DNA sequence: CTAATTGCAAAAGATTTGCACGAAC
DNA sequence: GTTCGTGCAAATCTTTTGCAATTAG
């Protein structure tokens, strides 16, 4: 059963077949699908679901804070349902594969005032870059 | 005079009016323009320069390692000419403004083996998120 | 002179939008 | 019944590509 779905129900999210399918497709760890991949998988379970609905739904999940948008070097954004466990990303520079990694014991110091340029700092995102074992072999 | 341009000359980069203008437009600190913004500014100095050439040139500068691609939450990528001084970014969640920030005294521990999933880790990118003074006022 | 670069225009890829119809509550 | 969500198709925005004309070295 989908954790994400549970949480959404709990928040009184209006439920439809399409939204359920999107939430189900997204659920899990190390899941970082593009909108198009979400649509492709959703179609497997609900053939008539449209891309527009997938985009709408993803946008809403991001607004609700239940899904994170991951911007990569590539064109399409990826969506990460693992929003409630703080984590960072390890990205393969060659193929774009992404893994979740969890903050090391090292609490990242917050930015010193002298480096804030008057900004209010709300968070930090850490992305490690490297080559995945698959690409290293090939 | 443009630092970037100097470096490119030194590397024997084939020079054209278009390339010079792109390098000039990019030079500086806290510069994070989109391809379209680069084009707009380049046109100011060389009216007939085409978007395709701007894209070509930016792509090449990235390949040469002289310019960094910054992926944001927004659609268009941004280009950062400050590639030779290691730094991170502070991004306004509201308007997208970006400032360069320099690593705090805190050396970010490298990822432990148990969190590498077999990847070779080559670098890390840190992005602070917040609200810029401008947006905070509005 | 020769190989590399440019501009154009068209194509491709990703995402958004307007609107009539249909479904959730 | 009312409000909100959906599908479609067209629009928009960003980036890439093919190719003939041009230019740097």
């Amino acid at each position: 059963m989908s954790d994400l779905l549970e949480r959404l129900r709990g928040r009184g999210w209006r439920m439809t077949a399409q939204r359920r399918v999107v939430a189900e497709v997204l659920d899990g760890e190390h899941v970082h699908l593009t909108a198009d991949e979400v649509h492709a998988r959703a179609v497997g379970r609900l053939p008539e679901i449209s891309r527009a609905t997938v985009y709408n739904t993803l946008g809403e999940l991001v607004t609700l804070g239940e899904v994170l948008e991951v911007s990569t070097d590539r064109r399409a954004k990826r969506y990460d349902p693992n929003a409630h466990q703080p984590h960072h990303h390890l990205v393969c520079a060659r193929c774009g594969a992404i893994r979740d990694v969890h903050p090391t014991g090292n609490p990242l110091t917050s930015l010193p005032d002298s480096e804030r340029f008057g900004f209010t700092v709300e968070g930090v995102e850490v992305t490690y870059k490297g080559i995945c074992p698959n690409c290293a072999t090939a």
Side-chain angles (χ1 to χ4, degrees), chain A:
Chain A
M1 186 68 33
S2 164
D3 263 10
L4 178 53
L5 207 42
E6 294 298 288
R7 242 178 286 119
L8 291 166
R9 272 189 223 285
R11 295 182 65 169
W13 200 46
R14 190 169 191 165
M15 192 53 62
T16 67
Q18 291 84 339
R19 288 176 162 200
R20 177 168 32 255
V21 167
V22 169
E24 284 171 2
V25 162
L26 279 176
D27 199 51
E29 291 214 357
H30 302 294
V31 170
H32 310 92
L33 301 170
T34 62
D36 215 55
E37 287 165 349
V38 172
H39 179 246
R41 299 192 187 195
V43 163
R45 303 181 184 212
L46 186 67
E48 64 280 17
I49 191 173
S50 74
R51 248 186 268 289
T53 294
V54 170
Y55 276 104
N56 285 344
T57 305
L58 289 172
E60 228 181 299
L61 292 173
V62 170
T63 300
L64 288 171
E66 295 291 349
V67 165
L68 301 173
E69 229 173 60
V70 181
S71 29
T72 70
D73 300 354
R74 289 149 204 270
R75 298 185 181 109
K77 284 176 195 150
R78 296 187 167 272
Y79 295 88
D80 180 345
N82 196 9
H84 292 295
Q85 178 163 19
H87 66 281
H88 300 312
H89 290 125
L90 172 56
V91 180
C92 177
R94 200 153 319 160
C95 72
I98 305 180
R99 313 253 41 182
D100 291 351
V101 298
H102 299 285
T104 75
N106 179 11
L108 194 63
T109 59
S110 57
L111 215 48
D113 264 10
S114 59
E115 289 272 36
R116 291 192 182 204
F117 299 95
F119 281 54
T120 309
V121 179
E122 294 177 341
V124 63
E125 201 178 87
V126 179
T127 305
Y128 294 89
K129 308 220 165 185
I131 304 293
C132 76
N134 230 347
C135 288
T137 305

